[in-house]
Amino acid sequence: MAAQEKKEAKKVRFLSGVQPSGKLHLGNYFGALRQHIALQDEGEAFYFIANYHAMTTVQDRGLLEQQTLDVALDYLALGLDLKKAVFFRQSDVPEVAELAWVLSAVTAKGLLDRATSYKDKVQRGIAPSVGLYYYPVLMAADILIYRSHVVPVGEDQVQHIEMTRDMAQSFNRTYKSEVFPVPKHRLDVGAKVPGLDGQKMSKSYDNTIEIFQEGKALRKRVMSIVTDSTPLEDPKDPDTCNVFALFQLVSSKEEQDELAGMYRAGNFGYGNAKKMLLEKIDETFGPYREERKRLEKDTGFVMSVLAEGGARARAEAQETMKLVREAAGLGQMPVPAAELLGSR
Ligand code: ADP
Ligand code: TRP
């Protein structure tokens, strides 16, 4: 390809979001954040902190602000490069709520009725608010407003991306337009990381190992991973063991083969495997911990990063909304009210 053509070839746009609903854990890292950070070199990356989404569960102003800052610190400490990625807070682009409404009008209610994540959350005791039910529409708006192509997430989010595809097609068909590309999901190898109890690791199951946990607290979590009651001297099966599943995420192929050999040979207890896992977690995340502590002291910088990212994202969102409003007959983007009134 000639240099000029290469320059003009359309870049893939990646977009993803993480809710500030608690401390991020190894499931979030291996399912989502790790690929987010890697993909910033592969195309245009847009990542945001989904604080509108978190309002379905976090209804305390101070907590929402603190957890938003925590997610920002995590991303920055883990290597998000602000020269490459646009990083922002969902609520800095209020147009997304407008697009969600527009999409809701072309979305069959039956589509939302089938959302398994809504059912799971309600079953876990989260209030079945209209917002929680409507959440996949807001998520589709998040993706479509940046006309994204690829959405890197963990397995539990795949159904939401499928729904987004439906909504993009439905809008394009209804308004005979091509405003929205139809996006695809992207999974990493750690698409479904097990928690301490073997269920999916999740903030709401109290079964997580936090990315930035360390020292005694981390040790306590690792030592409490549930294992079966095979006697010490008997051979053990690495493929059904939670400790081994987590070890695989933080070790090399050789290290995994070695540990699997010890399991199968017998006379090797789960306690030893846990110690090896703990060492690998420290080795993997240790360097990022120092960086996070440094950033924690400079929250002014973090807030300015989010403000800058918000402005860049909003400019892009407003371009899409011009097309959406035109296609749907909603008129032009309104001029800011103060500007309009001032000119009278
Ligand atoms: P949680 O279930 O802990 O509330 P979120 O729903 O906020 O996590 O998920 C944020 C991102 O992390 C999503 O892309 C999600 O798919 C991914 N993710 C969450 N838990 C896991 C897990 N156990 N394994 C792999 N990916 C996960
Ligand atoms: N629903 C996602 C989660 O709970 C977060 C999210 C909101 C998101 N909007 C998104 C993920 C858009 C990808 C794209 O993890």
Side-chain angles (χ1 to χ4, degrees):
M1 214 191 290
Q4 187 60 22
E5 265 178 67
K6 223 179 196 168
K7 223 171 158 189
E8 281 166 13
K10 203 156 169 27
K11 277 202 171 166
V12 177
R13 178 165 293 174
F14 300 102
L15 170 127
S16 198
V18 172
Q19 292 195 58
S21 51
K23 295 256 193 299
L24 299 188
H25 52 73
L26 299 189
N28 297 137
Y29 182 72
F30 290 105
L33 272 76
R34 182 175 62 173
Q35 49 168 344
H36 298 171
I37 289 163
L39 290 169
Q40 64 190 357
D41 295 313
E42 308 289 319
E44 293 177 337
F46 280 64
Y47 302 127
F48 68 96
I49 306 173
N51 59 347
Y52 281 149
H53 275 94
M55 294 179 84
T56 56
T57 52
V58 185
Q59 299 180 335
D60 175 296
R61 176 206 161 141
L63 192 61
L64 188 62
E65 285 175 351
Q66 179 58 47
Q67 290 179 170
T68 302
L69 178 66
D70 276 336
V71 174
L73 286 167
D74 287 358
Y75 264 97
L76 295 174
L78 289 166
L80 190 77
D81 183 343
L82 301 165
K83 287 194 227 52
K84 297 177 185 158
V86 180
F87 184 50
F88 60 104
R89 205 166 36 178
Q90 188 179 26
S91 60
D92 284 339
V93 188
E95 286 80 358
V96 76
E98 183 191 2
L99 180 58
W101 175 257
V102 171
L103 294 173
S104 74
V106 295
T107 303
K109 178 172 168 293
L111 189 75
L112 298 189
D113 289 339
R114 289 193 287 278
T116 53
S117 129
Y118 174 82
K119 289 178 212 160
D120 287 352
K121 286 184 176 174
V122 172
Q123 216 168 36
R124 277 188 262 142
I126 296 176
S129 61
V130 175
L132 193 68
Y133 184 75
Y134 179 73
Y135 167 120
V137 185
L138 182 59
M139 178 158 164
D142 290 327
I143 298 168
L144 298 177
I145 207 163
Y146 304 105
R147 283 170 281 168
S148 320
H149 304 109
V150 177
V151 188
V153 283
E155 206 172 84
D156 57 334
Q157 295 299 319
V158 172
Q159 190 191 29
H160 293 148
I161 320 288
E162 295 296 325
M163 295 165 112
T164 303
R165 293 167 60 84
D166 274 14
M167 291 183 224
Q169 284 164 332
S170 175
F171 180 94
N172 288 347
R173 201 178 331 107
T174 304
Y175 294 110
K176 299 183 182 51
S177 78
E178 285 175 16
V179 175
F180 298 125
V182 179
K184 290 194 179 80
H185 68 259
R186 181 184 192 279
L187 297 178
D188 203 339
V189 279
K192 195 170 176 187
V193 175
L196 303 182
D197 55 0
Q199 289 193 77
K200 184 196 99 138
M201 187 178 286
S202 171
K203 290 173 213 127
S204 42
Y205 295 162
D206 188 24
N207 67 353
T208 68
I209 296 176
E210 293 164 14
I211 304 173
F212 286 99
Q213 222 156 18
E214 56 181 305
K216 268 198 190 138
L218 174 64
R219 189 187 161 79
K220 206 168 154 209
R221 294 304 271 179
V222 171
M223 291 303 161
S224 68
I225 299 174
V226 176
T227 49
D228 64 26
S229 51
T230 315
L232 178 75
E233 52 289 356
D234 286 8
K236 300 181 178 61
D237 182 2
D239 299 329
T240 55
C241 176
N242 291 331
V243 182
F244 192 77
L246 291 168
F247 186 82
Q248 280 177 309
L249 297 168
V250 286
S251 57
S252 66
K253 179 80 181 64
E254 291 72 44
E255 289 164 330
Q256 290 162 33
D257 289 346
E258 194 190 340
L259 182 59
M262 295 182 192
Y263 267 71
R264 295 197 180 98
N267 270 324
F268 177 76
Y270 290 120
N272 289 328
K274 288 177 182 177
K275 277 190 200 126
M276 289 169 74
L277 171 63
L278 183 61
E279 265 171 38
K280 291 307 293 183
I281 293 178
D282 276 334
E283 200 180 300
T284 308
F285 295 104
Y288 301 126
R289 291 176 190 152
E290 299 317 308
E291 179 60 6
R292 197 182 190 286
K293 284 179 193 146
R294 197 185 65 73
L295 285 163
E296 260 170 39
K297 297 197 193 102
D298 198 357
T299 52
F301 166 75
V302 179
M303 295 323 282
S304 73
V305 159
L306 292 178
E308 153 97 25
R312 287 171 68 191
R314 194 167 188 208
E316 189 64 35
Q318 289 181 341
E319 284 305 310
T320 305
M321 287 315 289
K322 274 189 206 160
L323 302 174
V324 166
R325 293 176 71 105
E326 193 178 297
L330 287 170
Q332 292 182 354
M333 291 286 279
V335 175
E339 224 173 88
L340 194 67
L341 296 172
S343 69
R344 286 211 177 134

